[in-house]
Amino acid sequence: MSIPQKSRQYFLPAGRKEGYKNLTITEVEVPKLKANEVLVRVHAASLQYRDLAIANEFYGGLDGREIVPGSDMAGEVIAVGQDVTGWKAGDRVCANFSPAHLHGDPTAATMAAALGAVAPGVLTEYRAFPSESLVRIPAHFSYQQASTLPCAALTAYNALSGRGNPIKAGDTVLVLGTGGVSIWALQLAVTSGATVIATSSSDEKLKIAEKLGAKHLINYCNTPNWEEEVLKITNGVGVDHVVEVGGQGTMHKSIKSVRIGGGVYVIGVLTHGDLPQDIFRLVLGRAAEVRGILIGSVAQFKDMVRLIEANPEKTMPVIDKVFAFEEGIAAFAHLESQKHVGKIVIQVSKD
């Protein structure tokens, strides 16, 4: 395939007054490759809450910036730089959320390199990436399915397996809601032999969680003190792991739900509320490991792919809806509605 000269990409102007509704498609030059870079044709991109927050300018530190949105993609290698040896044309790849985060803990430098913020994102037909930032996608995944991996899946994997208190068979895991990270956490927990408790405001969404392997279901509208139900399910002990995506509005209940010595993995800020004054006493009293999760490294991504390929039936991505490239605004609106289960995908190029 010849290297194209032009690429369509989404663009958010500086000073936008209507957030994602100001998304426009523009045509840009395809970048010339540096010696260590790989040119990728982006086939599919999935959206996450961060994309919405950046577009609507309530993601800190980015006000007034022009943005090429999106951080999660899957695509096909088109060309490689002269020093690249690990990739060839036709290879199917994802780029890591931060191309600079290769291994170990995140740093200020790796987070500054995260896609779709200061660094241009992936809602573009063609993009160059450093060769070391790419990861081979699972052989049995489509591009749409693979586009769900860089943020949602890797965040869930890092939370449950990253450090300190890794998940093991027989553990109990509490997942809040049925968004992208929560659904992936459910699937990875079931794959690891854990028992999953899932919460949602919707019985229909809970039925989906049950089909994916959740053993206990809690509708938090019907059971507002859901932490008490979690303790009842676990015979007063609490769960080993909480995948905490709610933020201020749910953190207090999550800490009450975890066992002594268990882990609460802070991922999202989807809810609002005041933190009770006794929250620090609760953390101390539970001897809880409270850990913020900033996606994951290339090394973790590769480990996760091996786990997925070893368990293909339990780790098929849940995709709520696929939008055409021209339907970017509609895709963001669907994300904002919070009516989805799993991931929202934009088909950038035809497979």
Side-chain angles (χ1 to χ4, degrees):
M1 180 178 179
S2 60
I3 299 177
Q5 301 300 308
K6 299 287 186 179
S7 176
R8 292 188 305 160
Q9 71 178 27
Y10 269 102
F11 174 75
L12 282 164
R16 52 193 175 274
K17 296 181 179 180
E18 296 184 277
Y20 68 82
K21 295 178 183 178
N22 290 132
L23 277 167
T24 57
I25 297 175
T26 186
E27 190 173 74
V28 297
E29 298 284 337
V30 172
K32 293 183 179 180
L33 287 181
K34 297 178 182 178
N36 71 325
E37 288 185 332
V38 173
L39 182 64
V40 177
R41 182 188 181 196
V42 179
H43 281 256
S46 69
L47 298 181
Q48 54 155 312
Y49 181 76
R50 172 179 176 267
D51 299 322
L52 182 65
I54 290 173
N56 289 346
E57 294 197 302
F58 50 83
Y59 190 88
L62 295 174
D63 289 358
R65 283 186 178 272
E66 298 177 348
I67 300 290
V68 178
S71 60
D72 303 3
M73 57 71 67
E76 173 190 2
V77 173
I78 299 300
V80 300
Q82 62 184 15
D83 291 345
V84 175
T85 57
W87 301 107
K88 65 182 185 304
D91 285 343
R92 303 191 320 141
V93 297
C94 288
N96 199 43
F97 172 82
S98 169
H101 190 185
L102 304 183
H103 52 75
D105 292 334
T107 66
T110 63
M111 293 315 300
L115 300 170
V118 176
V122 300
L123 278 178
T124 182
E125 292 176 315
Y126 297 91
R127 197 190 189 288
F129 298 96
S131 61
E132 67 273 14
S133 72
L134 298 178
V135 176
R136 177 183 57 84
I137 69 178
H140 60 293
F141 274 17
S142 69
Y143 287 115
Q144 291 179 3
Q145 292 168 332
S147 74
T148 72
L149 297 177
C151 179
L154 188 55
T155 297
Y157 179 83
N158 186 6
L160 295 173
S161 304
R163 62 189 299 176
N165 185 30
I167 192 172
K168 61 185 183 300
D171 281 357
T172 304
V173 178
L174 171 64
V175 298
L176 305 186
T178 54
V181 173
S182 296
I183 288 293
W184 263 113
L186 190 168
Q187 292 176 281
L188 293 174
V190 169
T191 298
S192 300
T195 297
V196 176
I197 304 171
T199 73
S200 175
S201 62
S202 164
D203 288 337
E204 291 302 312
K205 291 181 178 180
L206 287 173
K207 289 178 182 178
I208 296 173
E210 185 176 30
K211 289 180 180 178
L212 294 171
K215 292 292 178 64
H216 304 280
L217 312 172
I218 303 173
N219 185 316
Y220 59 76
C221 289
N222 299 333
T223 310
N225 295 325
W226 49 263
E227 74 281 11
E228 296 176 3
E229 185 66 18
V230 170
L231 291 175
K232 185 186 300 183
I233 291 169
T234 58
N235 297 315
V237 175
V239 299
D240 299 283
H241 311 272
V242 182
V243 179
E244 166 52 66
V245 300
Q248 286 182 246
T250 56
M251 187 66 177
H252 189 247
K253 294 176 183 291
S254 289
I255 294 171
K256 285 186 174 182
S257 299
V258 75
R259 69 166 171 84
I260 295 174
V264 179
Y265 313 122
V266 182
I267 294 164
V269 288
L270 298 178
T271 63
H272 302 284
D274 295 326
L275 290 175
Q277 291 184 350
D278 67 343
I279 192 165
F280 299 106
R281 187 182 298 276
L282 273 175
V283 172
L284 181 61
R286 307 301 283 181
E289 175 195 6
V290 179
R291 181 164 69 98
I293 308 296
L294 291 175
I295 321 299
S297 67
V298 170
Q300 288 175 312
F301 203 150
K302 292 177 179 179
D303 288 343
M304 180 185 69
V305 168
R306 285 193 286 271
L307 175 64
I308 289 171
E309 289 188 322
N311 299 273
E313 294 181 358
K314 296 180 180 178
T315 54
M316 293 301 290
V318 176
I319 295 176
D320 184 88
K321 191 171 183 179
V322 178
F323 291 84
F325 185 65
E326 295 77 14
E327 297 176 313
I329 292 175
F332 272 77
H334 189 52
L335 176 65
E336 185 179 45
S337 75
Q338 296 190 32
K339 294 179 180 179
H340 59 288
V341 176
K343 294 297 289 182
I344 296 165
V345 172
I346 295 175
Q347 184 72 39
V348 179
S349 304
K350 293 182 180 179
D351 289 357

